[in-house]
Amino acid sequence: MTERGYYGQFGGSFIPEILVATFEELVQAFEQAKADPGFWDSYVRLMGNYSGRPTPLTYAENLTEHFGGARIYIKREDLNHTGAHKANNVMGQGLLVKRMGKSRVIAETGAGQHGVATATMAAKFGFDCTIYMGEVDIQRQRPNVFWMEQLGATVVPVTEGTRTLKDAINEAFRDWVSAMDDTHYVLGTACGPHPFPEMVTWFQSIIGREARNQVLEETGRLPARIYACVGGGSNAMGIFSGFLDDDVELIGVEAGGRGLETGAHATRLASDDASLGVAQGYKTFFLQDDDGQMKETHSVAAGLDYVGVSPILSHLKASGRVRFTAATDEEVVEALSLSIRKEGLIPALESAHGFVQAFKEAPELSRDDVIVINQSGRGDKDIFTVADALEDPSWRKFIRDKAEEYDAH
Ligand SMILES: *Cc1c(COP(=O)(O)O)cnc(C)c1O
């Protein structure tokens, strides 16, 4: 970071005047927490006894044999409480909220994973919790809405605009403006105005710190390459930040959707389809048209389906430190099936994007090389999508029978 909140020309803080004091308070609280070793220790302790950290680094021996190249290791963020790396960010921000003496949290959510994680944190800390979610997403993600409500959160349907994630973000900011004194906005990824990209990355850096120690201990060497999927960029920044100063190649994998040529994808850094802009309070590459209207994005993985991307990753692309590629929906389902069969691991559809690229490149490396894939989350949540994609006939029958059962009532 050069100027405050800037990474090269990316980042910054483009916020309404009325939120300036609130952001200043947050920046101060974050800076103080970061300078206090006791705060990081309390975070590590909390993640240890609430979320199973440190998560293991698993040697994927069968996949390694299958591809016959590099030794493949998998960082198991799927084993966090609520099933993904998102727990790292929300629990960290929860500790910060307590430190700031606030009593209410709000969040935006698209697929619902960040909403569930935030509602879980609020239940644990005893905070009031409101989650903003587009009406369309609420219809698509009923199970997550169910859990948020069971956890005590109020889920507010957003009926503006396209009724999806970006509209939920706008509503969350609107709420914050009217309730700054007692409320903190728990942003879900390494995006948004300063200090969110840096703060979310700092909490997620627990992944990279652990992974670096684990891979050295286990193999006696640094990995040749590290692969992570990129939605907003928080799990990728989390693992990458442990290795930025090392001679380790870092690869971010975005959602190639139905193929880059179809336009139905969410690649901001792996293609030339995105352009530089300022939206949602920060400057980065957005998938937008010539008038600055955000484009429709598509991915089989709901968590990668975002128009912007971390300004830190935009900078790391510009400086050449991170390489970006894309994986298509079809490749992702194939890599997922292979991981399930060969290792008994069920990565989330999001995480499986990283697996695709690692599988493409493993054969070109030697057995002396180690590669690490960040398994950002577990795939059980994707049963509806995956069973559909695999066209499993007995699953279809199960869904049909369930529907009939309800209709009969
Ligand atoms: C939300 C999510 C992502 C995408 O978010 P990032 O901020 O890019 O990490 C990736 N994987 C899983 C499992 C998720 O739930």
Side-chain angles (χ1 to χ4, degrees):
M1 191 169 66
T2 47
E3 203 182 324
R4 198 170 93 160
Y6 274 90
Y7 314 88
Q9 61 167 319
F10 310 102
S13 181
F14 300 83
I15 52 174
E17 188 60 36
I18 189 166
L19 277 174
V20 168
T22 301
F23 268 89
E24 194 50 44
E25 180 192 13
L26 180 60
V27 169
Q28 295 301 330
F30 170 55
E31 293 294 340
Q32 282 165 14
K34 213 168 64 162
D36 172 5
F39 182 82
W40 184 262
D41 291 346
S42 65
Y43 170 61
V44 171
R45 255 196 321 277
L46 174 67
M47 294 314 287
N49 76 26
Y50 192 65
S51 197
R53 302 207 74 93
T55 59
L57 182 73
T58 301
Y59 178 40
E61 193 174 1
N62 302 329
L63 285 169
T64 299
E65 292 300 328
H66 180 78
F67 289 106
R71 278 174 286 161
I72 301 172
Y73 282 82
I74 298 176
K75 180 62 172 162
R76 301 291 306 283
E77 291 305 297
D78 58 306
L79 295 178
N80 275 293
H81 183 39
T82 69
H85 69 294
K86 289 191 167 68
N88 304 328
N89 173 40
V90 297
M91 297 310 288
Q93 289 198 45
L95 284 177
L96 202 62
V97 172
K98 225 167 83 172
R99 196 178 163 104
M100 289 189 291
K102 296 192 172 186
S103 58
R104 177 173 177 263
V105 292
I106 59 174
E108 85 294 344
T109 196
Q113 297 299 119
H114 175 56
V116 170
T118 303
T120 301
M121 176 272 278
K124 164 84 174 153
F125 283 105
F127 300 142
D128 285 336
C129 179
T130 301
I131 305 293
Y132 290 92
M133 190 167 182
E135 209 172 34
V136 170
D137 289 330
I138 287 182
Q139 278 157 15
R140 287 196 286 219
Q141 307 288 343
R142 178 49 58 184
N144 284 334
V145 176
F146 172 82
W147 283 124
M148 284 182 253
E149 290 177 345
Q150 295 305 310
L151 287 158
T154 304
V155 180
V156 178
V158 175
T159 56
E160 309 284 312
T162 56
R163 297 172 291 151
T164 57
L165 178 62
K166 70 176 167 27
D167 311 291
I169 293 173
N170 293 338
E171 279 305 309
F173 271 110
R174 223 164 280 159
D175 178 317
W176 207 11
V177 166
S178 68
M180 294 172 292
D181 287 348
D182 69 342
T183 299
H184 173 71
Y185 177 11
V186 185
L187 210 132
T189 186
C191 291
H194 181 66
F196 283 108
E198 186 190 340
M199 186 170 77
V200 174
T201 295
W202 188 61
F203 288 126
Q204 294 292 1
S205 74
I206 195 168
I207 306 172
R209 295 181 201 213
E210 286 177 7
R212 194 174 188 284
N213 287 336
Q214 289 167 323
V215 74
L216 284 173
E217 191 164 308
E218 175 83 18
T219 71
R221 60 172 57 216
L222 286 169
R225 299 178 190 174
I226 296 180
Y227 301 86
C229 66
V230 178
S234 70
N235 86 87
M237 279 310 304
I239 192 156
F240 291 170
S241 55
F243 300 88
L244 280 173
D245 298 330
D246 298 316
D247 183 19
V248 173
E249 198 180 354
L250 307 173
I251 300 105
V253 187
E254 296 185 308
R258 299 197 183 95
L260 298 190
E261 67 291 349
T262 66
H265 63 81
T267 67
R268 295 113 328 156
L269 298 174
S271 74
D272 295 328
D273 285 8
S275 54
L276 199 55
V278 174
Q280 295 165 2
Y282 70 113
K283 186 174 178 185
T284 194
F285 285 99
F286 289 96
L287 284 163
Q288 55 189 339
D289 64 21
D290 293 342
D291 301 325
Q293 291 292 323
M294 294 303 152
K295 287 188 190 164
E296 290 275 317
T297 53
H298 165 81
S299 172
V300 69
L304 300 189
D305 189 356
Y306 177 52
V307 289
V309 66
S310 177
I312 310 180
L313 285 174
S314 288
H315 177 55
L316 290 171
K317 181 191 173 181
S319 70
R321 181 65 188 91
V322 178
R323 168 160 64 90
F324 289 89
T325 63
T328 65
D329 293 350
E330 211 178 294
E331 291 174 321
V332 162
V333 173
E334 201 179 306
L336 174 61
S337 291
L338 190 68
S339 309
I340 295 173
R341 285 291 169 89
K342 290 280 176 201
E343 297 290 345
L345 293 177
I346 312 179
L349 283 165
E350 288 84 357
S351 319
H353 284 69
F355 285 62
V356 168
Q357 193 62 29
F359 292 173
K360 283 183 191 167
E361 298 181 14
E364 66 193 43
L365 298 171
S366 84
R367 197 55 61 98
D368 286 339
D369 294 314
V370 168
I371 62 176
V372 176
I373 311 170
N374 198 28
Q375 182 168 338
S376 53
R378 65 172 188 235
D380 328 28
K381 69 176 174 64
D382 299 321
I383 187 164
F384 290 91
T385 316
V386 174
D388 266 353
L390 297 178
E391 299 180 0
D392 183 79
S394 46
W395 173 259
R396 294 215 166 150
K397 180 172 183 317
F398 164 74
I399 295 287
R400 225 174 295 135
D401 291 351
K402 267 278 174 220
E404 276 169 22
E405 201 179 302
Y406 275 104
D407 286 345
H409 286 167

